[in-house]
Amino acid sequence: MTDVQVPLTSRKDWQSDQEVRWCPGCGDYSILTAVQLLMPELGVNRENTVFVSGIGCAARFPYYMNTYGMHSIHGRAPAIATGLAVARPDLDVWVVGGDGDLLSIGGNHLIHALRRNVNLTILMFNNQIYGLTKGQFSPTSALGKVTKSSPMGSLDAPFNPLAVALGAGATFVARTHDMDRPHMQEMMRRAHDHKGAAFVEIFQNCNVFNDGQFETLTTRANRDDMLIPLENGKPVRFGKEKEKGVIISSDGAAHIVNVADVGEDAILIHDEARPEPGLAFMLAHLASSVNEPTPVGVFRAVQTIEYADANAKQLAAAQERSGAGDLSALLHSLPTWEV
Amino acid sequence: MTDVQARPGTSGNAEQVDHVVIRFAGDSGDGMQLTGERFTTASAVFGNDLATLPDFPAEIRAPTGTIFGVSAFQVQIADHDITNPGDAPSVLVCMNPAALASELDRLEPGGTIIVNSDEFDERNLTKAGYTENPLENDSLAGYKVILVAMTSLTKEAVKESGVKSRDAERSKNLFALGLVSWMYTRPLDTTLTWIKEKFGKNEMVMNANIMAFKAGHAYGETAELAGNRYSIKPAPQKPGVYTSINGNTALAWGLVAAGQLAKLPVFLGSYPITPASDILHELAKHKSFGIRTLQAEDEIAGIGAALGAAFGGHLAVTATSGPGVALKSETMSLAISLELPMVIVDIQRGGPSTGLPTKTEAADLMMAMYGRHGEAPLPIVASYSPSQCFDAAIEACRIALKYRTPVILLSDGYLANGSEPWLIPDPSTLPDISTTFATEPNHVNETTGEPEHWPYVRDPETLARSWALPGTPGLMHRIGGIEKEDGSGNISYTPENHSHMVDTRAAKVAGIAKDIPEVAVTGDVADADLLVLGWGSTWGAIVTAVDRRRAKGRKVAQAHLTHLNPFPANLGEVLKRYPKVLVPEMNTGHLAKLVRAEFLVDARTVSKVRGVPFTAAEIEVAIEAELERKL
Ligand code: SF4
């Protein structure tokens, strides 16, 4: 809902009085700062904003926002937020969770929230580890990852979060990382403005249990060569001189090439609004580990029917057809007789 | 066509009886539930008191002709007030050999069997496990057997309608309905009107059904069935407008009413499960009341979505059966911790695990009481008859809203599908259950000096916490499942605070005892030798059993609980008043254990876990045995 009356706020207005309790140096701090600095720019009221989370380090997030919030139970935030967003389409509902919360115990709720296209902004902090339970492998940890619960290496093939979201029919899918505030904010802004379920994966450093997991990608020195920025309508290129790019070869797969070898015209032009998710899916699979160049940005953004909206329309249509509910008429709607 | 209907109750050749118990039985595909329901409705509209017991298999379409594919519907109709579908049927309608094989031992000695003789061919007999045709030997000698070639008579009767042979055959349940309607002098117009409404869109099928129904009726008139005709006068009833209603519909309507009475939109988050799905179906129809139904991806999401809606200020409900309650328990604990109102409807069925999905049981009481982690008390309301599910739903919502707590509402498969006449209440007589939301800050921040909202500031009377809805300016706050400080709601792990919060949540639920009616005792209140204490759907059978024993001179009192947590304030005193306490339960003794633990009384259990309700006779036997037991 657009509200012309939204008063000007600053970061301070969006900070709660609660002491932040993440480990010093945790990537969660920079995400929190990004959100708190972004909120005043979104044109929304604090009282109409709700953060819902599950359990995990990331899930402490709502306590730190001066909005309405619920810190719920492990994995269930998407389901709870779905109920809230359907009941109250006037609210701005955000879901915050980690990779364990949203892809392991809550995987089912996440995919169903995405396919229903409920108006939720879902931020998934992916640190590829269980932090709050002190360091077990997570559903996004790499195969062979040695942790307390996998001393000889994890046997679990990891989820590719974006591919999961795209497979579930998500209408908005993006990726960013905790070392680049402007990019994070841009992804969050786009996700917030999207009408429907928006999924943002944020690479997040857990400096206690998985320190430096994304360093190959996110340090200033590595970014140019290892992060592939996706910009709508533009060729998918990266490298210090934009000398590398992505093409779709005749075998139907995406490949990284030197632009000089194939010519500029051969480079894939990114189109986030393509109705079919195939291209986004291919880009989501371009990197199979943090050691390969990895796309960031908006993979997919398509507009389609939003669930709460469709639900409200059914309610309005029913009232139009038969008037506002009449209890007495309902109680007499089966065959009756008089004594 | 000539109207063959004799005026009910005035038929010269009909013998007047005060009640009858009829059981319709056939293959799942034979339409026995529908036949029973139509007979019930016609009897209800005629003015009899009645109670029904649908009894169908879990399989949607079990292989035709098999014993496990038998679907039955029992109804008792009477010219006086009755509370249960009767013990042994006196009339058994059998559409095929499997129905006879599976249902015969329920029939009372000397009872009447109406048999569709067409279906007793070798193939069907073999499927039912018969090596000999029971219609041709003397195995049915103790009964009055009426053989009717229903299939062929129906096909013949509907010929003119032009329907295909398969459809013609499908009308045979209406032939059976016509015949039984003749035998019990039921007025025809209720059923005819229904056929016209139901099949009006397909004239051919409508005509076939009318023809089959009338042919069944005419068959009674013209065949040598004189001496087999009975009339049952209308029961004296309080004046008013009645409808025939089953428990799930009454419960769903109770939720609709609760939304109106609370002036809040109703939100149902649910996952389909037998025997609760009809609540989802019914509420999904009533969008004009602003009711939102969300068919969730699983039971956990069903209650999760409901909890989210509760946070947003909706009257939140989730409806399920035992397996679903098990899955929802973690979210119930969260709701207890968040102190948000919500109703969890449990339509109990036989367990454990998948158990008996379509059969009734009441073995979830202990789960409702204790089936959560941590100290997690919540109020429990139980309905005791199909129509009373309406009031029970409103009461559960009232408690939830007033005390900001999840409430479990227990019903069961028998109440869910069983129906009875219901004097439709005037909505203006229903209670106001509206609640209030916080609109102003209730605290000043010590450091900033700014006004703010503390979510756990309590009403000293009810201990209910202050409830501020998202969207209310200035009252932003966070709540969560982590232990929080009373008042501020901030995370707190201190020993004193946790102990205080455990005590406070318990005291809040216990305090509801002041706000619910005392349990009423009926029967030989002053001098009974035995108190029969019940809860839930056993009520109908208990009432009948106690009446019958008292008529035989026994001194028996009766009390029935609609609130199981907290118990009514006078329950301990009532239990201690009588030398013996007997508790009939469709479990192995849950309530008996609870009252023993709570009140140190030697309550004795009479248990039935056979997937079917108690008969009054079974409770009578238990009453006699308990009265005779030496103290
Ligand atoms: S354990 Fe890791 S993710 Fe959790 S707060 Fe500490 S650094 Fe952050």
Side-chain angles (χ1 to χ4, degrees), chain B residues 56 246-252 255 268-284 293 295 299 317-325 328 344-350 356-359 364 409-417:
Chain B
F56 44 83
N246 69 39
N248 272 355
T249 308
L251 199 152
L255 295 171
L268 177 78
S270 259
Y271 187 73
I273 185 169
T274 304
S277 304
D278 282 341
I279 295 171
L280 169 61
H281 305 161
E282 184 64 25
L283 288 179
T293 55
Q295 182 176 316
E299 295 282 0
V317 185
T318 187
T320 187
S321 186
V325 177
K328 292 175 198 294
I344 300 99
V345 179
D346 178 4
I347 313 293
Q348 301 165 92
R349 67 189 211 189
L356 310 171
T358 61
K359 309 286 178 195
D364 293 350
L409 170 55
L410 294 174
S411 172
D412 64 33
Y414 164 46
L415 296 178
N417 294 311

Side-chain angles (χ1 to χ4, degrees), chain B residues 260-598:
Chain B
Q260 301 280 297
L261 300 169
K263 299 174 195 75
L264 293 180
V266 174
F267 184 102
L268 177 78
S270 259
Y271 187 73
I273 185 169
T274 304
S277 304
D278 282 341
I279 295 171
L280 169 61
H281 305 161
E282 184 64 25
L283 288 179
K285 286 196 283 196
H286 302 304
K287 293 187 166 54
S288 62
F289 286 86
I291 293 171
R292 288 165 181 81
T293 55
L294 186 118
Q295 182 176 316
E297 58 270 22
D298 58 29
E299 295 282 0
I300 298 171
I303 188 171
L307 184 65
F311 186 62
H314 282 222
L315 177 52
V317 185
T318 187
T320 187
S321 186
V325 177
L327 285 165
K328 292 175 198 294
S329 79
E330 191 196 17
T331 309
M332 281 189 238
S333 289
L334 175 62
I336 289 168
S337 175
L338 297 180
E339 303 191 39
L340 280 173
M342 135 180 315
V343 173
I344 300 99
V345 179
D346 178 4
I347 313 293
Q348 301 165 92
R349 67 189 211 189
S353 188
T354 307
L356 310 171
T358 61
K359 309 286 178 195
T360 196
E361 200 162 279
D364 293 350
L365 178 54
M366 282 298 189
M367 174 165 69
M369 275 300 285
Y370 299 121
R372 288 166 298 282
H373 58 285
E375 297 291 349
L378 53 66
I380 303 169
V381 173
S383 57
Y384 63 80
S385 86
S387 65
Q388 196 267 335
C389 288
F390 180 83
D391 300 317
I394 295 173
E395 174 66 354
C397 294
R398 178 188 76 87
I399 293 174
L401 290 170
K402 181 166 176 183
Y403 295 89
R404 324 292 204 219
T405 175
V407 174
I408 291 184
L409 170 55
L410 294 174
S411 172
D412 64 33
Y414 164 46
L415 296 178
N417 294 311
S419 52
E420 63 179 356
W422 180 43
L423 176 58
I424 299 172
D426 174 353
S428 69
T429 63
L430 298 173
D432 177 0
I433 62 169
S434 57
T435 187
T436 50
F437 300 108
T439 52
E440 299 291 331
N442 57 7
H443 192 261
V444 176
N445 188 299
E446 282 87 356
T447 38
T448 64
E450 297 283 324
E452 62 183 1
H453 177 249
W454 272 20
Y456 286 82
V457 168
R458 297 175 188 281
D459 177 311
E461 195 59 29
T462 60
L463 298 180
R465 75 171 181 87
S466 174
W467 188 9
L469 299 186
T472 317
L475 306 193
M476 288 82 71
H477 64 277
R478 279 66 53 195
I479 55 176
I482 297 190
E483 189 61 283
K484 70 278 298 168
E485 186 181 64
D486 207 9
S488 72
N490 292 335
I491 293 176
S492 166
Y493 298 124
T494 70
E496 301 74 26
N497 178 67
H498 178 57
S499 179
H500 166 76
M501 289 299 274
V502 168
D503 292 347
T504 304
R505 288 185 286 255
K508 181 175 80 167
V509 173
I512 298 169
K514 290 178 287 196
D515 191 23
I516 60 175
E518 295 203 327
V519 64
V521 184
T522 56
D524 299 303
V525 179
D527 58 350
D529 299 315
L530 169 72
L531 174 77
V532 183
L533 176 70
W535 70 278
S537 69
T538 51
W539 176 77
I542 293 175
V543 167
T544 307
V546 168
D547 282 354
R548 287 194 202 151
R549 284 298 102 196
R550 291 183 64 226
K552 294 264 191 294
R554 300 302 202 178
K555 295 273 180 212
V556 187
Q558 193 210 333
H560 208 80
L561 296 175
T562 52
H563 294 79
L564 291 148
N565 195 33
F567 286 132
N570 66 334
L571 182 62
E573 181 268 311
V574 164
L575 292 174
K576 287 179 177 142
R577 222 191 274 163
Y578 302 99
K580 288 174 176 174
V581 177
L582 181 68
V583 189
E585 287 185 85
M586 289 198 296
N587 58 48
T588 55
H590 294 202
L591 177 62
K593 285 195 184 76
L594 291 174
V595 295
R596 279 168 165 256
E598 183 80 19

Side-chain angles (χ1 to χ4, degrees), chain A residues 22-23 26 28 57 127 131-132 204-209:
Chain A
W22 288 308
C23 308
C26 176
D28 290 354
C57 295
N127 54 20
L132 199 62
Q204 173 244 324
N205 191 40
C206 168
N207 57 309
V208 173
F209 295 108

